[in-house]
């Protein structure tokens, strides 16, 4: 029969005799034990562990008591209150244990709903440790206690435990606990280990940390399980010597064995998806009435595959079999079976079992320097934002107001920090200004009239027009729109009276009176239109080199300017746009033609030539270009607020005000007006869309991406043939 499971047979046996180590009692002061939602500290009546309120670990959420009917006798005190999180998608506890970086911890979160919100609706939400998904918490009843436990080695001295709202009910938590674990045990090279089961077999007593010597020094919770009708219990009062896993004495003094002396001992677990497991089996021979010729020898099978052969126990000495590498199973059922061999006179036994699943921890945390900088901002200005956990990860929980780089191989970096309109006071921190000047951080701090760039506070940052101007702007726009309608009517009437040209050989011979191209842009007075540069923009052939009056850069200068093309700020059909900085410390955007570009050299030249001949405050300014060897690039002024598309996307949580929208619409219309009416030769952009409208640090709009533009008229007074081939982005080019 074909096998459907791949199993790592490599196992390790830990014996008490060979590798025993003395028990170092855990210092209870090193435990972090948080009663979430509580306002008082206390010592737990069962364990003696000191629990403290959670106010020092989180700054969001609401503290609530569970319904009184669920405060039954014997309920641990930490379940009487909860902290719930009705606001924000992600809320995080910040844990700072005493131990140094690289120490291994057991982290445990516990949840009891207790109808704290009087809704009787059981939520489902995600739990993260750091920036990686730990598990999903699914509450099934008011009295059900859900426990999530993970053995984890943090990558930094600070550990975040985050509750994430999935839209299936409000997240809450009852208790959060952190315990130091010996670094030589529970080792995983590829991630962390989430507990699936930790069973004390043969007993009905639950063990964890306590005052007794037979309790767990690491405060692991050993739960009990109902045995099947095929098992029976064994026990002893003799002392069992433990090994480096320091199993509680009471756990190792009991075991289960099959009722049928020749029968197998079996356990199974079922999961929703194929999973990778870590297995720990704890054994000790505790039967005292053995004959001299008795032998307990058995094989261990996993999903029908031989896992360990001819296993023998030692008298009153703990032995542990574990897998140093995860068991990879293609099945959703994990079946564990113990069967006596032909040499054995006794059936198999098992004292305790631990089963963990592999938890992926591949997502890296944000660069630590960036985290310190942005946290300094929050602390300095006391920002009223739910900024908790890691700033940039996971991707769906990036802090509001930040833009981050997210890759699988490098730690995320904070690229932009938007603090516009927060009425901040004081001086912008020097480290943030330094990052901004270096080009590693784009800082938006407009709308903060009392915020300064220098000390003493004598230089305020540029401010947008205040809301007091809004009624005036609306009135002016209304008048402009009315004038536009009148102008269009007049021009259309004039156009109808003009004689029509005759089509000959794909060229139109116009009448003596040149036709004016009228578009739907918002018109402005002629005084506001900058004087265009005369001359045709479409005279060069494809094989000619480009001659632009602006600065010409070498390919090495482009490479130095962009720090070897290290920071991408945009991509399009033309190629990739990189952030750069000139020798005189001016931020620029460098557009490089890619080898796979669908537009190519022709459009590159078209855009360069057009920007050489047209100049307007609402068109992106060309600073220079590169046309050397294999490098074709255009160097533009840097537009700090990116493109309009990113601001009106439903993924952007901050909405543009109507004032901002009107300003942007007017700016874009004035740019179009200049192209259509103000230029010597009317120009059609052919690709006007939100991503081609760029915004500078003052949210002033400028048109960009002229590679598909076409001129309507040539120097000899003739109107050029306009091809009917569709160009640009479908839906943004008028088919007429």
């Amino acid at each position: 029969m074909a096998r459907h499971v791949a199993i790592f047979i490599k196992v390790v046996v830990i014996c008490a005799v060979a590798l025993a180590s003395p028990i170092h009692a855990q210092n209870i002061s090193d435990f972090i034990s948080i009663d979430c939602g509580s306002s008082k500290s206390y010592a737990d009546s069962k364990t003696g562990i000191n629990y403290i309120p959670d106010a020092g670990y989180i700054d969001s959420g609401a503290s609530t008591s569970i319904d009184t009917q669920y405060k039954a006798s014997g309920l641990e005190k930490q379940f009487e209150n909860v902290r719930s999180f009705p606001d924000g998608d992600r809320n995080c506890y910040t844990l700072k244990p005493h131990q140094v970086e690289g120490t291994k911890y057991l982290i445990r979160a516990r949840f009891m709903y207790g109808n704290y919100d009087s809704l009787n609706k059981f939520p489902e939400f995600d739990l993260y440790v750091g920036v990686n998904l730990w598990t999903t918490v699914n509450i099934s009843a008011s009295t059900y206690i859900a426990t999530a436990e993970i053995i984890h080695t943090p990558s930094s001295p600070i550990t975040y435990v985050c509750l994430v709202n999935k839209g299936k009910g409000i997240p809450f938590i009852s208790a959060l606990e952190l315990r130091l674990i010996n670094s030589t045990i529970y080792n995983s090279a590829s991630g962390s280990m989430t507990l699936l089961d930790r069973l004390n077999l043969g007993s009905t007593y639950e063990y964890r940390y306590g005052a007794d010597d037979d309790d767990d020094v690491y405060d692991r919770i050993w739960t009990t399980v109902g045995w099947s009708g095929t098992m029976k219990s064994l026990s002893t009062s003799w002392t069992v010597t433990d090994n480096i896993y320091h199993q509680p004495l009471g756990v190792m003094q009991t075991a289960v064995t099959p009722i049928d002396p020749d029968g197998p001992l079996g356990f199974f677990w079922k999961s929703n998806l194929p999973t990778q497991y870590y297995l720990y089996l704890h054994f000790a021979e505790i039967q005292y009435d053995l004959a001299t010729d008795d032998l307990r020898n058995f094989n261990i099978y996993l999903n029908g595959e031989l896992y360990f052969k001819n296993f023998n126990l030692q008298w009153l000495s703990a032995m542990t079999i574990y897998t140093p590498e995860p068991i990879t199973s293609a099945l959703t059922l994990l079946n564990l079976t113990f069967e006596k061999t032909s040499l054995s006179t006794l059936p198999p036994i098992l004292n305790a079992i631990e089963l963990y699943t592999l938890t992926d921890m591949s997502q890296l945390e944000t660069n630590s320097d960036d985290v310190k900088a942005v946290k300094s901002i929050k602390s300095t200005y006391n920002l009223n934002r739910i900024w908790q956990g890691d700033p940039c990860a996971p991707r769906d929980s990036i802090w509001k107001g930040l833009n981050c780089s997210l890759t699988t191989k490098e730690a995320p970096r904070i690229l932009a920090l938007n603090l516009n309109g927060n009425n901040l006071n004081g001086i912008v921190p020097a480290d943030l200004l330094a990052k901004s000047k270096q080009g590693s951080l784009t800082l938006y701090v407009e709308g903060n009239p009392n915020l300064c760039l220098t000390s003493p506070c004598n230089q305020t940052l540029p401010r947008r027009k205040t809301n007091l101007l809004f009624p005036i702007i609306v009135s002016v726009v209304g008048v402009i729109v009315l004038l536009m309608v009148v102008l269009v009517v007049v021009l259309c009437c004039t156009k109808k009276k003009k004689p029509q040209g005759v089509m000959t050989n794909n060229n139109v011979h116009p009448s003596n009176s040149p036709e004016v191209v009228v578009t739907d842009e918002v018109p402005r007075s002629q005084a506001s239109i900058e004087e265009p540069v005369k001359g045709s923009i479409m005279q060069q052939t494809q094989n000619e080199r480009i001659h632009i009056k602006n600065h010409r850069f070498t390919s090495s200068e482009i490479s130095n300017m962009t720090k070897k093309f290290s920071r991408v700020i945009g991509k399009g059909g033309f190629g990739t746009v990189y952030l750069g900085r000139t020798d005189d410390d001016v931020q620029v955007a460098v557009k490089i033609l890619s080898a796979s570009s669908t537009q190519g050299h022709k459009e590159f030249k078209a855009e360069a030539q057009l920007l050489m001949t047209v100049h307007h405050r609402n068109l992106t300014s060309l600073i220079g270009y590169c046309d050397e060897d294999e490098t074709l690039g255009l160097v533009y002024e840097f537009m700090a607020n990116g493109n309009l598309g990113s601001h009106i996307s439903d993924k952007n949580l901050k909405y543009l005000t109507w004032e901002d929208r009107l300003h942007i619409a007017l700016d874009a219309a004035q740019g179009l007006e200049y192209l259509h009416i103000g230029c010597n030769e009317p120009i059609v952009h052919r690709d006007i869309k939100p991503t081609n409208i760029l915004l500078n640090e003052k949210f002033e709009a400028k048109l960009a991406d002229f590679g598909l533009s076409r001129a309507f008229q040539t120097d000899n007074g003739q109107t050029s043939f306009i091809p009917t081939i569709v160009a640009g982005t479908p839906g943004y080019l008028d088919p007429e």
Side-chain angles (χ1 to χ4, degrees), residues 608-619:
Q609 297 288 12
L610 189 149
L611 289 171
M612 181 188 75
T613 60
V614 296
H615 305 280
H616 191 271
R617 66 184 183 87
N618 294 122
L619 304 180

Side-chain angles (χ1 to χ4, degrees), residues 167-244:
K168 297 183 178 181
I170 295 174
F172 75 94
I173 186 170
S174 302
L176 184 59
E177 301 163 345
L178 184 144
R179 310 289 186 247
L180 176 65
I181 292 289
N182 189 323
S183 60
T184 63
I185 60 177
Y186 301 117
N187 292 313
S188 171
S190 54
S192 296
M193 300 165 58
T194 296
L195 181 68
L196 183 62
D197 253 334
R198 183 184 294 116
L199 301 177
N200 172 23
L201 301 173
S203 173
T204 59
Y205 186 79
E206 179 178 280
Y207 286 89
R208 62 177 299 183
Y209 185 91
D212 297 333
D213 292 337
D214 62 351
D215 289 339
D216 195 297
V217 295
Y218 298 129
D219 193 32
R220 294 165 295 188
I221 299 177
W222 299 82
T223 59
T224 61
V225 62
W227 315 316
S228 70
T230 62
M231 301 180 193
K232 65 179 181 179
S233 174
L234 299 176
S235 64
T236 184
S237 58
W238 291 77
T239 299
V240 178
T241 304
D242 70 353
N243 55 33
I244 60 173

Side-chain angles (χ1 to χ4, degrees), residues 221-502:
I221 299 177
W222 299 82
T223 59
T224 61
V225 62
W227 315 316
S228 70
T230 62
M231 301 180 193
K232 65 179 181 179
S233 174
L234 299 176
S235 64
T236 184
S237 58
W238 291 77
T239 299
V240 178
T241 304
D242 70 353
N243 55 33
I244 60 173
Y245 287 89
H246 296 319
Q247 306 91 338
L249 175 60
V251 170
M252 299 307 296
Q253 286 178 322
T254 61
V256 290
T257 188
I259 295 176
D260 181 355
D262 296 320
L265 189 64
F267 304 87
F268 71 90
W269 293 264
K270 191 174 183 179
S271 63
N272 295 327
L273 295 172
T275 308
Q276 290 183 293
Y277 299 95
Y278 284 96
L279 184 63
Y280 294 80
L281 305 175
H282 303 286
F283 303 91
E285 180 59 78
I286 59 174
Q287 190 169 342
Y288 64 92
D289 55 348
L290 299 179
T292 55
D293 58 347
D294 277 336
L295 174 66
R296 197 183 303 276
N297 182 269
F298 52 90
N299 296 330
I300 305 173
Y301 296 89
L302 193 60
N303 286 355
E305 294 276 357
L306 182 62
Y307 176 63
F308 199 97
K309 186 178 182 180
N310 294 328
F311 185 59
N312 294 315
L313 304 184
Q314 297 182 12
W315 168 249
L316 297 180
S317 294
M319 303 178 67
T320 298
I321 294 179
Y322 74 93
T323 50
E325 298 176 12
I327 303 165
T328 303
S329 175
L331 305 179
T332 58
L333 183 67
L334 184 67
N335 198 330
L336 186 64
T337 307
F338 305 81
E339 295 182 0
K340 65 183 293 187
T341 66
S342 58
L343 302 176
S344 181
T345 61
L346 300 171
I349 66 171
L350 179 63
N351 302 68
I353 186 170
E354 294 179 86
L355 186 63
Y356 298 85
T357 58
L358 176 64
T359 300
D360 179 34
M361 291 286 162
S362 59
Q363 173 63 59
L364 299 176
E365 297 177 348
T366 301
N367 177 274
S368 58
D369 291 338
D370 291 2
V371 174
K372 291 177 183 177
V374 75
K375 284 188 174 181
S376 174
I377 280 286
K378 182 182 181 183
S379 174
T380 300
Y381 299 113
N382 195 25
L383 292 179
N384 187 23
R385 294 181 179 179
I386 301 180
W387 274 4
Q388 297 178 1
D390 190 274
C392 294
R395 183 183 299 270
D396 294 337
S397 300
I398 294 177
W399 287 1
K400 183 179 179 181
L402 299 187
N403 285 333
C404 301
S405 67
L406 291 172
T407 66
T408 57
K409 297 182 179 179
E410 297 179 353
R413 298 300 303 265
I414 298 175
L415 303 180
L417 174 60
N418 191 336
L419 298 174
N420 289 347
N422 283 278
N423 292 321
L424 305 180
N425 297 293
I427 302 171
V428 176
D431 57 344
L432 290 181
L433 288 176
K435 286 179 178 288
S436 178
K437 187 174 182 180
Q438 294 166 3
S440 61
L441 176 68
T442 302
L443 190 61
Y444 304 136
V445 289
E446 295 178 357
N448 300 285
N450 299 315
L451 194 65
C452 302
L453 287 172
T454 59
S455 178
C457 196
N458 55 14
Q459 180 184 357
T460 57
L461 295 173
R463 287 181 284 166
R464 298 295 308 272
K465 299 178 178 65
T466 66
N467 288 332
L468 294 175
L469 292 178
F470 182 73
I472 300 175
I473 292 173
V474 173
S475 301
V476 172
V477 170
V479 173
I480 292 175
V481 171
L482 179 60
L483 291 175
M484 180 193 73
V485 174
V486 174
L487 179 61
V488 169
V489 172
V490 172
L491 290 176
C492 288
C493 292
T494 305
K495 179 178 179 180
K496 290 181 180 179
K497 296 178 181 180
K498 294 179 182 179
Q500 302 297 314
V502 180

Side-chain angles (χ1 to χ4, degrees), residues 35 52 80 98 128 134 165 205 225 267 331 338 534 541 552 596 617 623 681:
D35 185 336
I52 58 177
E80 294 182 356
H98 301 304
Y128 278 72
W134 172 2
N165 193 323
Y205 186 79
V225 62
F267 304 87
L331 305 179
F338 305 81
K534 306 297 182 181
T541 64
R552 178 169 181 170
S596 59
R617 66 184 183 87
I623 295 176
E681 300 172 0

Side-chain angles (χ1 to χ4, degrees), residues 602-632:
K602 182 178 180 181
E603 285 72 17
F604 170 85
K605 292 200 305 175
E607 184 156 358
Q609 297 288 12
L610 189 149
L611 289 171
M612 181 188 75
T613 60
V614 296
H615 305 280
H616 191 271
R617 66 184 183 87
N618 294 122
L619 304 180
T620 50
S621 297
L622 182 66
I623 295 176
Y625 72 100
C626 178
D627 185 10
E628 179 180 284
D629 301 327
E630 301 298 324
T631 304
L632 293 177

